[in-house]
Amino acid sequence: MRVERRPMGRANKSDIPDAPGPAVVLVRPQLGENIGMAARAMLNCGLGELRLVAPRDGWPNPAAQRAASGADSVLESARVFESVADAVGDMTRVIATTARARELTQRVVNPRRAAEDLRQWIAAGERSAVLFGPERTGLQNDDLVHADTVLSIPLNPHFSSLNMAQAVLLVAYEWSQAGAVPDETLVTNTARPATKAELTNLFQHLERELDESGFLRVPEKRPDMVRNIRAMLQRARPTEQEVNTFHGIIAYLATKKRRD
């Protein structure tokens, strides 16, 4: 038997997971050290796709590499985006982590159920991502509307503070331990689920017509109304064909109103 020796904690190309897994999206991370520790946690648990949204101190970040303790491959392949919408545009499933209840009506799961869902979705060919918020504030409502599911970690209600890297480790560990047997499926036949970019395009189309019709006429109420509409449609998990049908409905109603 051949024994290969290499420095402990130092990743090489063979350590990079080949099996598909969810992308980890760090939204507006503030500390390079947390990015590095998140990368280390990801590789510990078999995840390799890291996406960064507007990192405060820019990218690449030497502090991240030092904290990664050998998970350099995750950092080297990390992609940087200007917005959450851009970072999840090619995804069909997005889970957002939050420690606090928000005003939106959304499906909320614990880490174990989230991991089971991710296994099911990825096995079905759906690209999936998990959002983690910035260290100081966590994800905001405008971030959460890009998700169809919210992940809440049940900790001590009197002290539930986790830093970003700790949250990544906890969720990634549950992913690594989850079985692949689904307890719920969505039958779409030949239709594929809509991507987040397709849904964003639909939201923008609908909001333009609602502005034109006067439905969103109260400026101070408009942001909350828009977020609630988006959250409602995210929960519906439409297919590509359903999104196209919805575009047609909006266009027809708008044209008919103008004729009348």
Side-chain angles (χ1 to χ4, degrees), residues 91-93 118 120-128 186 193 237:
M91 300 292 168
T92 59
R93 295 284 195 164
L118 287 165
Q120 174 185 341
W121 299 335
I122 290 171
E126 297 192 52
R127 299 210 65 194
S128 304
L186 175 67
R237 296 160 49 191

Side-chain angles (χ1 to χ4, degrees), residues 3 97 113-114 135 147 156 158 176 182 219 257:
V3 178
T97 60
R113 178 54 192 267
E135 294 89 329
N156 179 355
H158 304 294
S176 72
K257 183 178 185 302

